[in-house]
Amino acid sequence: MSEIQVSEILERYPADRTSSLAVLEDIQAEYKYLPRAALEATAERLRMPLSEVYQIATFFKAFSLTPKGDYIVKVCLGTSCHVGGGPRILDAVERKVGVKAGNTTPDNKFSLEAVRCVGACAQGPVMLVNDQVYPKMSSVMAGELIDRLAAGEASLGAEEAGGGR
Ligand code: FES
């Protein structure tokens, strides 16, 4: 997918502060983060102080001020998943991608996050890749999934969510 210009996003909405959230959501969706230049352009177009745009950008967890990888991998460490082996899964993924949770690989392929309960306890332990839930994971399965993603072999379709091994 080619990145569209920030100006194209800005033109979709009325040029006032009521558009700020929608604009930032679209920029986040397009770039997977909010580049500084995009925040500056947003502030200018919507006639808002840059500091206010930053406040919005940092208030909502869905926004990121740093670039994210192609695959955003989240390992659940909520109570149920923790008991089921979440920490071992996170450890395996960290070793496999070579960065700790909270970081992105230098090639921008993977961003790794440790998250709290994602509401899929009955399927735990779970991990998510770009919000696709992978149920009943083990450290071995997680490592294999990362390998397939790295090799471009795994699609993020429903067939990947079967799990159960
Ligand atoms: S604890 Fe992991 S989904 Fe609830």
Side-chain angles (χ1 to χ4, degrees):
M1 180 176 65
S2 66
E3 291 180 352
I4 63 168
Q5 296 294 313
V6 172
S7 58
E8 287 180 45
I9 293 173
L10 287 167
E11 285 164 13
R12 293 175 190 161
Y13 299 97
D16 62 58
R17 64 180 55 241
T18 62
S19 305
S20 56
L21 201 51
V23 166
L24 294 183
E25 283 174 344
D26 283 8
I27 294 170
Q28 174 76 37
E30 182 65 28
Y31 293 87
K32 296 195 187 136
Y33 81 111
L34 301 174
R36 180 179 172 84
L39 295 179
E40 290 171 349
T42 300
E44 187 175 329
R45 162 93 173 169
L46 304 185
R47 294 182 217 104
M48 296 169 66
L50 182 58
S51 60
E52 201 175 319
V53 177
Y54 265 100
Q55 273 179 4
I56 298 168
T58 54
F59 181 80
F60 293 98
K61 278 184 109 180
F63 296 138
S64 172
L65 295 177
T66 54
K68 294 286 186 182
D70 295 336
Y71 298 110
I72 299 173
V73 179
K74 299 175 182 173
V75 177
C76 182
L77 295 183
T79 303
S80 178
C81 290
H82 193 283
V83 170
R88 285 195 302 278
I89 293 169
L90 179 60
D91 191 48
V93 176
E94 285 179 339
R95 277 188 275 113
K96 188 62 85 173
V97 301
V99 298
K100 293 284 189 188
N103 293 286
T104 296
T105 56
D107 63 359
N108 279 337
K109 192 113 183 169
F110 295 100
S111 290
L112 180 57
E113 298 174 14
V115 296
R116 294 296 165 191
C117 182
V118 295
C121 305
Q123 302 176 66
V126 302
M127 78 186 237
L128 297 85
V129 181
N130 294 358
D131 292 329
Q132 166 80 51
V133 176
Y134 289 80
K136 309 277 185 212
M137 292 301 281
S138 68
S139 54
V140 172
M141 291 166 64
E144 289 173 354
L145 175 59
I146 296 297
D147 281 342
R148 293 202 308 277
L149 292 169
E153 294 169 3
S155 71
L156 296 178
E159 75 277 6
E160 286 292 329
R165 256 198 304 169

